[in-house]
Amino acid sequence: MKKCVFAGTFDPPTVGHEDVVNACAKMFDKVYVAVLDNPQKETLLTVGQRKELLGKLFSGRKEVEVITFTGAAVDLLDKLDTPFYVRGVRDAIDFEYENRNHYASKRLKPDMITIYIPSEQRNLHVSSTLVRNSLKFGKEYDDLIPSAILADVKSMLEDKDV
């Protein structure tokens, strides 16, 4: 069985994240969507909320499993017994950032294979940061969040002080 890991903060999950998972599901038998739990990073949503949102988004998809993790991606790849690490990229800046991380991780796990999935053109501007900034300035963000979880995201974010 071919498995991959797509890890991130997903704060909150976006239509771009959904696109990456959908692309992975066309290539792999199992896609682990790994929600990063980094206690040093201040997030808008809790790790539990992010996992819940992604779980709802991909419910009914037996090939997608949402998990949480703390630590290095290479350790997660070892734990899940796969060398395939998926990264979504929107532009050259994302690619350079991800490529530097790839080489740093490759030192720790030489058999790691990083797969870059380019953003769909319609979503080149989409990011969790844009959602958070839209919320901060009272702007619409409905088109940035998958419709299946939009109401849940709004409910979770309505009382947040951004």
Side-chain angles (χ1 to χ4, degrees), residues 12-148:
T14 68
V15 293
H17 297 132
E18 182 181 33
D19 283 349
V20 171
V21 173
N22 287 337
C24 289
K26 292 176 182 176
M27 296 182 283
F28 293 93
D29 302 310
K30 186 70 157 185
V31 179
Y32 290 98
V33 179
V35 181
L36 175 64
D37 182 12
N38 182 349
Q40 297 169 327
K41 186 173 185 180
E42 189 174 330
T43 58
L44 199 53
L45 298 171
T46 67
V47 69
Q49 288 173 315
R50 292 177 275 143
K51 182 180 182 197
E52 176 187 334
L53 289 166
L54 288 162
K56 181 175 182 177
L57 181 60
F58 299 109
S59 68
R61 304 267 310 262
K62 65 182 183 340
E63 74 278 15
V64 179
E65 184 175 339
V66 181
I67 61 174
T68 60
F69 83 102
T70 302
V74 294
D75 295 332
L76 183 60
L77 293 172
D78 283 340
K79 178 181 174 186
L80 296 173
D81 191 30
T82 181
F84 300 109
Y85 188 53
V86 173
R87 308 306 301 146
V89 293
R90 292 169 295 209
D91 56 24
I93 294 168
D94 279 357
F95 178 77
E96 289 297 326
Y97 172 81
E98 296 296 346
N99 217 31
R100 280 191 301 275
N101 284 343
H102 162 77
Y103 288 114
S105 295
K106 193 108 168 137
R107 284 182 50 247
L108 302 172
K109 183 171 177 53
D111 69 329
M112 181 175 123
I113 299 168
T114 304
I115 298 169
Y116 300 106
I117 302 211
S119 173
E120 295 294 330
Q121 188 175 21
R122 70 182 182 280
N123 292 329
L124 287 173
H125 67 292
V126 175
S127 70
S128 295
T129 301
L130 180 57
V131 174
R132 292 191 304 272
N133 286 341
S134 296
L135 183 65
K136 182 183 210 175
F137 296 111
K139 303 299 179 191
E140 275 299 313
Y141 56 87
D142 293 12
D143 61 327
L144 307 174
I145 304 290
S147 59

